[in-house]
Amino acid sequence: KHTEALTLVSISDRKDGNHNEAWLRLQLEYVYSQVIFTLTSQVQSIFKNTPSYDLRSMMGPNVNDSIRNLLDRFDPVDLDEGIVGLSRQDSNESISKSSHRNRNHGTGCGSFLTAGVECIHPIPPEIRENASKMLIHACGKGIGRTSDLFAILTVGTRLVTIVQPPNPSSQLHTSDLHLILTFVGRQPGLLTNELWFPLCLPRFDSSGFLYAYTSCLDPMDTGLSIVLISPDNSTEQFKSYHNAANTVRKTLGLPSVRTKVLRVFDSSSNVSTASSASTPAKGNIRYGRSDSAGDLSTISIETGDSERKKTHLDDAAWKTKYESSNEAFDEDDKDGDGKGIARRISQGSSPGIIAMRRPTLDSQISATCYLENFLEDDDLEEDEEKETNHEAPLLTALKVALSAKQQEEMMTSYLQLASAVHFVFRCDIYVNSGSNGGGSAPSKGEMLTQCFGPPLSFPFTDASSQSHVWDVYQRLSLRLRLGSSSVETTMDALDMITNTHQHDDNIDSGDVSQECPMQCLLESPPNVHSVTYLQEDNEWLFVGLNGTFFECYATLPATIPPRTGTAYCARLVRRLMGDERILFLSNPLTWGS
């Protein structure tokens, strides 16, 4: 795969022909997106100016883990949907058991095949909607502040709910949501720490960083976590999100927990260590390393005097390592004071996010413990209160949904309805963007594409047979969209998508869609209702069908005739669409909804 200045290569070791070209192309696009997620698109400028530059010096030692975590989700045998890093490393038995309970088998790579995000299911719709309203209230009491972009509740890599801006152009693409959920859901330190880190969303705007706050609200049972994303990286914004997380925790009846905060540094000397999504005001915070989003697990979480002493040693080593690469970021700072994205959200325009330079580190970066005061205040409030925690309906619903018995019974009923051994289903749901003017009817935003299906199990018990099923699904998906799954047809379609994005004036210059045509192809649903099938070796019948707002791929015994198998799948689709409100986030809200 060729980008502006980077070339990515994929080599498949599948001797049986699995992993077709389109699937490999999709993986490369996600690898490229992960690089942008960590470094922003400024990395292209670096390689234009210095083609021999070693990218690894910028990405940090753990970026390979981030890319591997993402690619592992493409593997049909990778069904661990929990926060796996901590359970492998943490010695605390109770937390390890909690992480193990959250490894509920999901759709595997079906979320990438359908370009949909997997939700926790089943959850009553009123409980899920109340969770969205709880986020809105906790972050801004319904005001919809421009400093709030996205608020997400998640368990592992699966979505509970999300709140987005009302402007459709500012709502998340599925690929960006995959990056967030994979990074946060497989972050080793999340269960025991609050995290505050930069991230770049390639399809939202690849030119600068946004800033994410994450905290695990319920590490002992459900693993429910909160993710809050803003263009503002100030101390006040962190404190606001910290308080919002505590508000959500109290609303859910969860006991307040004292967590450590990853080391943060003051940048009052106007020295930053990363490109920023907007020009920061004085007093913003920075990180004691390369400030890329791929290396959080190595940051010290010590506090107090020992933290201050350790800081200067770390800074000196960091400065020596990265000093030679600073020329590539030697551009002037631009004005904006964090208002670029705010204008984009409120006015519906799509200007590029203002990018900051990566300055030299000649100035000494000093440590700050700005969190101490208000964390101590929180502790005093907790001591004064007599906690009478009652489990909220959301937590009860999550525990039921995460039950292995519940999942098995639900999936078995759906499989029996279609006489199938496996299926994966995609559902497109409009984001509720609020009222139309003075009317009461909600306006439609972008689609929030979601997916649903059981894990591949018996009789597909080995990696080869599971990979083969997904390979057939991939070919059926291309047939539904292009009429053919041949390499020539696919590449022609990708070239057409790339050319369309290059000449589309409505696409933000910071959007990397033209570099990710396979993502765009899968995200856009087929235009017509259609059916396709493949019968193999008198053993299995593979069926693919689509219609308005849905796609379905299923595996049935070959003893079932194709016409009958298609009717069975249509029956399954009707049942799934009827159960939409409990299986999916059926009413995605926006700020101010």
Side-chain angles (χ1 to χ4, degrees):
K1 170 179 168 55
H2 293 279
T3 65
E4 186 179 4
L6 289 173
T7 300
L8 296 91
V9 179
S10 176
I11 301 175
S12 175
D13 62 354
R14 300 292 183 181
K15 298 179 181 180
D16 56 3
N18 294 330
H19 283 196
N20 59 48
E21 289 80 359
W23 192 244
L24 293 175
R25 172 65 178 258
L26 182 65
Q27 293 183 64
L28 289 180
E29 290 181 4
Y30 269 97
V31 169
Y32 174 69
S33 296
Q34 182 65 49
V35 173
I36 301 301
F37 181 89
T38 308
L39 299 174
T40 79
S41 58
Q42 292 188 35
V43 68
Q44 301 279 15
S45 301
I46 295 175
F47 277 99
K48 279 185 176 180
N49 298 328
T50 312
S52 61
Y53 185 79
D54 188 353
L55 183 63
R56 292 171 296 180
S57 63
M58 290 180 60
M59 298 180 75
N62 283 349
V63 73
N64 287 338
D65 292 340
S66 298
I67 294 176
R68 173 51 58 192
N69 285 337
L70 182 64
L71 290 178
D72 280 347
R73 295 192 63 200
F74 282 84
D75 192 337
V77 299
D78 179 70
L79 297 172
D80 186 344
E81 295 295 317
I83 305 174
V84 299
L86 187 63
S87 63
R88 292 171 182 165
Q89 300 175 16
D90 201 285
S91 60
N92 187 308
E93 184 178 356
S94 61
I95 295 181
S96 296
K97 289 180 179 179
S98 168
S99 180
H100 178 75
R101 283 195 297 270
N102 290 335
R103 296 179 200 171
N104 288 278
H105 290 182
T107 61
C109 52
S111 57
F112 295 95
L113 172 70
T114 60
V117 60
E118 187 177 6
C119 288
I120 295 292
H121 45 68
I123 294 180
E126 60 274 8
I127 292 180
R128 211 185 291 262
E129 185 165 336
N130 286 339
S132 299
K133 293 178 179 178
M134 175 182 62
L135 288 177
I136 295 173
H137 174 80
C139 289
K141 301 187 184 301
I143 298 174
R145 302 174 304 170
T146 55
S147 60
D148 298 321
L149 278 179
F150 310 105
I152 303 171
L153 287 179
T154 178
V155 173
T157 58
R158 293 186 289 169
L159 186 68
V160 177
T161 190
I162 180 173
V163 180
Q164 305 190 71
N167 177 24
S169 66
S170 297
Q171 292 168 7
L172 282 177
H173 290 271
T174 305
S175 57
D176 285 345
L177 193 50
H178 278 155
L179 294 177
I180 295 171
L181 293 177
T182 302
F183 184 79
V184 173
R186 299 197 170 188
Q187 187 57 236
L190 181 59
L191 289 182
T192 55
N193 301 288
E194 295 175 283
L195 305 184
W196 177 245
F197 59 92
L199 75 162
C200 174
L201 302 179
R203 302 284 298 282
F204 180 78
D205 196 312
S206 64
S207 61
F209 281 127
L210 301 173
Y211 298 86
Y213 168 91
T214 65
S215 177
C216 189
L217 305 174
D218 186 23
M220 306 307 293
D221 287 311
T222 63
L224 178 67
S225 299
I226 187 171
V227 183
L228 303 171
I229 300 177
S230 171
D232 182 8
N233 69 328
S234 65
T235 325
E236 292 75 16
Q237 185 64 50
F238 179 91
K239 181 176 180 179
S240 173
Y241 279 166
H242 169 82
N243 292 336
N246 281 341
T247 299
V248 172
R249 189 178 281 111
K250 292 176 183 178
T251 303
L252 294 176
L254 291 168
S256 298
V257 293
R258 182 164 185 169
T259 61
K260 296 179 180 179
V261 183
L262 294 185
R263 192 176 64 214
V264 182
F265 296 93
D266 185 26
S267 61
S268 57
S269 60
N270 293 326
V271 176
S272 70
T273 59
S275 302
S276 175
S278 54
T279 305
K282 185 176 180 180
N284 288 352
I285 58 178
R286 288 294 184 265
Y287 312 87
R289 42 174 297 280
S290 63
D291 205 14
S292 65
D295 198 17
L296 295 178
S297 60
T298 60
I299 305 179
S300 170
I301 55 175
E302 299 175 9
T303 56
D305 293 337
S306 61
E307 169 72 0
R308 293 183 175 88
K309 294 176 182 178
K310 191 174 187 297
T311 296
H312 298 286
L313 297 175
D314 288 349
D315 288 344
W318 188 86
K319 174 181 175 182
T320 302
K321 182 176 181 180
Y322 292 95
E323 198 169 30
S324 62
S325 65
N326 292 327
E327 291 83 4
F329 290 91
D330 208 14
E331 302 177 18
D332 293 334
D333 286 347
K334 299 180 181 179
D335 295 330
D337 297 326
K339 299 177 181 177
I341 294 182
R343 287 195 301 270
R344 171 179 174 179
I345 297 170
S346 60
Q347 301 176 7
S349 58
S350 302
I353 296 178
I354 301 173
M356 283 188 61
R357 63 185 174 94
R358 182 190 183 93
T360 58
L361 296 177
D362 294 334
S363 303
Q364 176 66 39
I365 302 178
S366 61
T368 178
C369 292
Y370 70 92
L371 297 170
E372 281 184 355
N373 293 334
F374 73 85
L375 287 177
E376 291 176 359
D377 292 341
D378 289 344
D379 293 337
L380 290 175
E381 292 178 3
E382 293 161 15
D383 292 338
E384 292 173 359
E385 291 181 354
K386 186 176 181 179
E387 295 187 359
T388 55
N389 297 318
H390 302 285
E391 185 171 274
L394 175 61
L395 295 180
T396 303
L398 286 175
K399 290 178 181 179
V400 173
L402 294 171
S403 164
K405 181 179 180 181
Q406 166 72 26
Q407 291 293 311
E408 183 179 359
E409 291 177 352
M410 179 179 61
M411 293 303 180
T412 299
S413 67
Y414 288 127
L415 290 170
Q416 290 177 347
L417 186 66
S419 299
V421 295
H422 182 260
F423 71 89
V424 60
F425 180 76
R426 160 179 169 155
C427 184
D428 295 329
I429 297 176
Y430 279 113
V431 175
N432 184 343
S433 293
S435 299
N436 283 316
S440 59
S443 60
K444 295 178 180 178
E446 291 292 320
M447 291 284 192
L448 179 60
T449 301
Q450 301 165 61
C451 68
F452 173 79
L456 270 173
S457 56
F458 183 83
F460 307 106
T461 56
D462 59 277
S464 178
S465 61
Q466 292 181 357
S467 296
H468 180 68
V469 172
W470 288 112
D471 179 67
V472 174
Y473 285 173
Q474 294 154 27
R475 284 184 277 163
L476 295 180
S477 175
L478 293 175
R479 284 186 186 181
L480 290 177
R481 285 169 169 77
L482 308 176
S484 171
S485 60
S486 68
V487 177
E488 293 79 7
T489 302
T490 303
M491 295 307 161
D492 287 344
L494 298 183
D495 289 341
M496 185 180 300
I497 294 173
T498 300
N499 293 333
T500 299
H501 281 86
Q502 287 176 343
H503 297 91
D504 191 345
D505 295 333
N506 294 323
I507 295 180
D508 189 352
S509 59
D511 189 340
V512 298
S513 295
Q514 66 180 21
E515 305 286 3
C516 303
M518 194 64 202
Q519 291 180 10
C520 297
L521 178 64
L522 294 179
E523 287 177 4
S524 58
N527 296 324
V528 296
H529 293 238
S530 54
V531 176
T532 184
Y533 68 89
L534 178 66
Q535 198 163 15
E536 279 191 345
D537 303 329
N538 295 319
E539 186 174 6
W540 301 113
L541 171 66
F542 300 95
V543 177
L545 68 160
N546 71 278
T548 305
F549 308 131
F550 79 86
E551 282 180 62
C552 184
Y553 304 95
T555 305
L556 297 82
T559 53
I560 300 176
R563 185 184 184 94
T564 304
T566 301
Y568 287 168
C569 290
R571 183 170 61 186
L572 171 63
V573 168
R574 287 193 295 270
R575 172 72 177 277
L576 292 172
M577 295 296 280
D579 293 344
E580 171 189 309
R581 299 187 70 219
I582 65 170
L583 297 179
F584 305 107
L585 176 55
S586 59
N587 185 30
L589 299 183
T590 58
W591 301 111
S593 296

